[in-house]
Amino acid sequence: MTLYNLKGRSLTCLTEYSPDEIRAIIETGLDLKRRYYAGEKVIPVLKGRSIAMIFEKPSTRTRVSFEVAATQLGARALYLNWRDLQLGRGETIADTARVLSRYVDGIVARVKEHSKIEELARYADVPVINALSDLSHPCQALGDYMTIFEKLGRLKGVTLVFVGDGSDNVLHSLLVAGAKLGVNIRIASPPQLRPDERILASARQAAAESGASIEFYEDPYEAVKGADVIYTDVWVSMGQEEQREAKIRLLRPYQVNEKLMEHAGSKAVFMHCLPAHRGEEVTDEVMDGERSLVWDQAENRLHIQKAILALLLR
Ligand code: CP
Ligand code: NVA
């Protein structure tokens, strides 16, 4: 495995990572996946290490892929529900970070507010990895660009159209990483749902350097023309349940269905970070169709998680 100088770094948001560092993580993920299929199921570069995984929200893919990733690297992951820790009774994030740093070699955390990840990273002496916040989902975007590279053989010049909630956390990470990697991003969303200003400013700056474009469309049919990748996520993210009716009303014209996929052209593939709300943002036909990459995306979370842990914690 090639060694990159990411040792000891936290991963709170991809805005802090250079294009080369992002490419290094993706290349390591691809390498680890190849080795896994060649029979190297366990590569114990983190033998004897421990990783605390604090979850304030539910998770299937992120939790399981990090736990299995740790096992395949020879490390042990401890799943900790936020409510079961003293955090749930008011112990501060800073004190929790200081204490956990005395036991473990890294902290993976899924939190409601992004500021909590930043606070954990500020006070921990070990790397802190964002396993999703209301602002971003960097591990998802890294795995997704690994999948796109695996399927299309390139990233620079690829056109990815995100259809749906323009303020989505997964979109934020796709936008930041995509702009750094030279991926052209189109966002098809209602004008009321736009990305976070700081994320967009950072992505625009990265796009100016990589030559990528970032474009907004209100009409999803116009947006998807000639696309390589059509990507969507749920309309109602975890914690937004009270906005459910309003968001569904706004987003109904943005469903990814066969008609939209046909409009995109024959080469377009479909991606979704999952979990999907079938019948809302995507139909069964598209999810289960030949152009859907969703299961490969889910699988690649495992290999990218190993890459992240191996590079940051070894
Ligand atoms: N895509 C993703 O992060 O899924 P989970 O919420 O199941 O972890
Ligand atoms: N936007 C979704 C992503 C889930 C992986 C959420 O935050 O609920």
Side-chain angles (χ1 to χ4, degrees):
M1 194 188 306
T2 321
L3 277 178
Y4 297 93
N5 197 17
L6 293 174
K7 191 168 183 262
R9 290 270 297 275
S10 282
L11 173 54
T12 55
C13 193
L14 287 167
T15 49
E16 298 149 14
Y17 276 63
S18 72
D20 279 344
E21 288 167 345
I22 292 174
R23 277 188 286 268
I25 298 171
I26 294 170
E27 279 164 20
T28 305
L30 289 162
D31 183 44
L32 288 167
K33 184 174 181 181
R34 270 191 297 269
R35 290 173 65 176
Y36 180 83
Y37 278 101
E40 277 188 278
K41 302 257 181 247
V42 177
I43 301 173
V45 291
L46 297 182
K47 189 163 188 280
R49 308 289 180 89
S50 301
I51 300 156
M53 307 211 313
I54 308 175
F55 279 70
E56 199 185 10
K57 291 176 175 183
S59 168
T60 298
R61 281 142 289 268
T62 309
R63 172 185 175 178
V64 177
S65 60
F66 263 115
E67 286 199 27
V68 175
T71 303
Q72 292 183 2
L73 295 172
R76 159 128 205 241
L78 298 101
Y79 174 77
L80 306 164
N81 189 309
W82 189 282
R83 280 190 313 273
D84 297 338
L85 295 170
Q86 295 290 7
L87 263 174
R89 294 182 54 248
E91 186 169 19
T92 67
I93 291 174
D95 289 351
T96 305
R98 290 179 181 114
V99 170
L100 289 178
S101 299
R102 300 287 175 112
Y103 300 132
V104 299
D105 302 285
I107 300 171
V108 171
R110 171 168 286 195
V111 295
K112 291 179 180 165
E113 298 85 14
H114 188 74
S115 57
K116 289 176 176 164
I117 269 285
E118 290 177 333
E119 203 172 340
L120 272 171
R122 193 172 323 125
Y123 292 100
D125 297 322
V126 295
V128 171
I129 297 166
N130 178 1
L132 180 144
S133 70
D134 57 350
L135 184 72
S136 63
H137 197 0
C139 301
Q140 180 71 49
L142 290 167
D144 291 341
Y145 285 121
M146 170 178 162
T147 305
I148 294 173
F149 185 80
E150 197 176 50
K151 300 290 171 187
L152 306 187
R154 69 200 160 96
L155 288 168
K156 199 169 170 59
V158 164
T159 297
L160 182 148
V161 185
F162 185 94
V163 181
D165 179 359
S167 65
D168 184 74
N169 47 3
V170 173
L171 167 62
H172 284 153
S173 294
L174 289 170
L175 186 56
V176 167
K180 293 188 188 216
L181 295 167
V183 176
N184 300 315
I185 310 271
R186 298 185 197 154
I187 298 167
S189 72
Q192 297 92 325
L193 296 172
R194 283 287 157 96
D196 174 87
E197 283 300 327
R198 284 160 311 156
I199 292 283
L200 184 59
S202 168
R204 283 202 200 282
Q205 195 183 331
E209 286 162 27
S210 73
S213 60
I214 298 173
E215 293 172 331
F216 288 92
Y217 292 80
E218 207 171 326
D219 178 357
Y221 286 88
E222 200 189 323
V224 299
K225 257 187 242 157
D228 295 299
V229 179
I230 313 278
Y231 199 116
T232 193
D233 187 10
V234 289
W235 291 341
V236 185
S237 284
M238 289 180 275
Q240 297 182 339
E241 288 74 17
E242 77 290 350
Q243 300 170 39
R244 184 172 174 79
E245 275 180 32
K247 287 193 86 175
I248 289 184
R249 211 176 314 118
L250 267 178
L251 286 161
R252 204 162 273 135
Y254 294 87
Q255 183 187 67
V256 180
N257 49 37
E258 275 300 325
K259 194 171 151 216
L260 190 71
M261 289 303 290
E262 269 169 37
H263 213 80
S266 55
K267 68 173 182 195
V269 293
F270 172 72
M271 295 180 75
H272 191 312
C273 57
L274 307 181
H277 283 200
R278 289 169 177 259
E280 282 185 16
E281 76 276 5
V282 61
T283 58
D284 287 337
E285 288 78 7
V286 172
M287 267 281 284
D288 302 327
E290 281 183 355
R291 302 208 246 168
S292 170
L293 302 185
V294 300
W295 315 121
D296 295 317
Q297 268 182 276
E299 176 185 349
N300 284 342
R301 295 293 306 281
L302 168 63
H303 303 290
I304 209 74
Q305 250 62 294
K306 283 190 283 186
I308 294 165
L309 292 175
L311 292 169
L312 273 48
L313 266 55
R314 70 188 264 165

